[in-house]
Amino acid sequence: YVDEIVARFPPDGPRDLSGQPARVTDDTQMALAVGEALMSAGRAYDPVTIERTLRAYFLAWYRDPDNTRAPGNTCMTACRGLASNQAWIEATVSSSKGCGANMRVAPVGLLRDVDDRLRAALAHFQAALTHGHATALAASDLTSAAIAALVAGCIPSDLPGYLRDYAESQRGIYHEDWLGTLWRKSGAASPVAYIAVGWDECLHALDRLDAALIHPDRVSDPCTATGAGWTADEAFATAMLCFLLYPDQPLAMLNRAAVTSGDSDSIAAIAGAFAGAYGGLDIWPETWRTQIEYRDRLSAVSEAITDKRC
């Protein structure tokens, strides 16, 4: 079965429905914006510098004439506010927990020489500029934590337990120096009560992931087990399920993630980030690596934040 689905990929890489070489998705464009913002900030990873650079790169994406690849409504709405010089805490869509928050967080998880607390704050903050719901923040943190753990050598089978421990340890932590009074927009009684809602939803997503892994199913649509992926917690869980079904078969994993009933491009983008963090660049066919759209920008970001070039 694995050989069969891998064979569906043309030798020169994936193609769209018209038979043309596939272009990167809106997800990848936003991940590039986050990576380039971190690169531009240098080592000045503080709220003022990161807010300024993320705003600049998000607005460059928002105004880019190539921004025609079904950009998410939340990102576009928040960027309209940023473009009119609103404070980010006013521009963000406080009710949104969409997967636009964590499909772009991979560069944060790949940052070298960053401690867990700063990485978590960066993951929360890059999400918060557009998605203000606590689940968007927590799922972004969980996604970047998974990537960082895989880069550090975590065995895939150990990942669900590690991530559950991590989620439970973060449930009461609100990064107030980065997020300010964002929690008030939710109507929560306190900052801790606000962020706990997000972590509780992520822990529920991990419950569904654990249940799906008891009897791994490579044939059925993974969305039926862990969710369609339109929200950040479900996108994380379904992408992680796809990765854990095929930890050493990245092409099969990518096909499984991309062919679902849910938000397939976001699920595949996150699952691909997990696979790359685990196996490195060489897991992908050389033709893909040399022909991927935005290769120069991807290489520059990779070199700047990981000391490794695409």
Side-chain angles (χ1 to χ4, degrees):
Y1 177 73
V2 172
D3 290 341
E4 175 188 338
I5 60 176
V6 169
R8 298 176 191 172
F9 286 118
D12 58 347
R15 293 181 175 272
D16 63 23
L17 294 178
S18 68
Q20 298 300 310
R23 301 192 299 171
V24 302
T25 65
D26 169 62
D27 301 341
T28 304
Q29 291 175 306
M30 285 296 276
L32 270 172
V34 172
E36 288 172 340
L38 293 170
M39 183 171 63
S40 178
R43 286 292 172 177
Y45 297 146
D46 60 77
V48 173
T49 303
I50 294 298
E51 192 276 334
R52 183 173 65 247
T53 56
L54 279 173
R55 179 187 287 260
Y57 281 95
F58 282 10
L59 289 181
W61 166 82
Y62 173 68
R63 294 166 174 152
D64 189 337
D66 198 30
N67 185 9
T68 58
R69 306 177 188 185
N73 289 332
T74 295
C75 290
M76 295 297 284
T77 298
C79 283
R80 277 195 293 272
L82 295 174
S84 64
N85 293 321
Q86 286 185 358
W88 73 265
I89 209 165
E90 297 302 323
T92 191
V93 181
S94 59
S95 62
S96 180
K97 55 182 176 182
C99 64
N102 61 330
M103 56 77 184
R104 66 189 185 220
V105 78
V108 175
L110 293 172
L111 281 172
R112 66 185 187 276
D113 301 328
V114 171
D115 63 43
D116 287 346
R117 185 173 182 84
L118 178 55
R119 180 199 48 72
L122 288 167
H124 282 238
F125 189 66
Q126 65 81 34
L129 259 66
T130 53
H131 297 66
H133 194 286
T135 300
L137 277 60
S140 294
D141 188 357
L142 197 61
T143 303
S144 69
I147 290 169
L150 287 165
V151 169
C154 183
I155 299 170
S157 60
D158 291 342
L159 203 52
Y162 167 80
L163 292 172
R164 180 174 297 279
D165 290 344
Y166 180 79
E168 290 174 347
S169 74
Q170 298 298 302
R171 189 177 177 275
I173 298 177
Y174 179 81
H175 297 276
E176 189 166 8
D177 49 339
W178 290 79
L179 301 174
T181 59
L182 175 64
W183 67 275
R184 294 184 183 277
K185 299 186 71 173
S186 70
S190 69
V192 170
Y194 161 79
I195 202 63
V197 169
W199 283 113
D200 286 345
E201 291 204 339
C202 286
L203 284 163
H204 178 62
L206 287 170
D207 289 341
R208 297 181 69 180
L209 175 64
D210 286 343
L213 291 171
I214 294 173
H215 300 291
D217 182 355
R218 289 182 164 189
V219 177
S220 301
D221 181 355
C223 292
T224 62
T226 46
W230 301 107
T231 59
D233 53 326
E234 289 188 356
F236 161 79
T238 303
M240 181 58 70
L241 175 59
C242 292
F243 169 64
L244 292 176
L245 288 173
Y246 301 96
D248 299 307
Q249 297 166 311
L251 300 192
M253 178 280 302
L254 192 62
N255 189 86
R256 179 65 280 175
V259 184
T260 75
S261 60
D263 190 3
S264 296
D265 63 331
S266 296
I267 294 168
I270 297 170
F274 294 151
Y278 175 55
L281 184 64
D282 290 342
I283 63 171
W284 308 112
E286 183 179 2
T287 50
W288 294 23
R289 287 180 273 136
T290 56
Q291 296 180 30
I292 188 171
E293 192 178 18
Y294 300 141
R295 182 182 185 279
D296 289 345
R297 290 173 63 192
L298 288 165
S299 291
V301 169
S302 176
E303 185 174 39
I305 66 176
T306 70
D307 285 335
K308 297 178 181 178
R309 190 166 181 81
C310 293

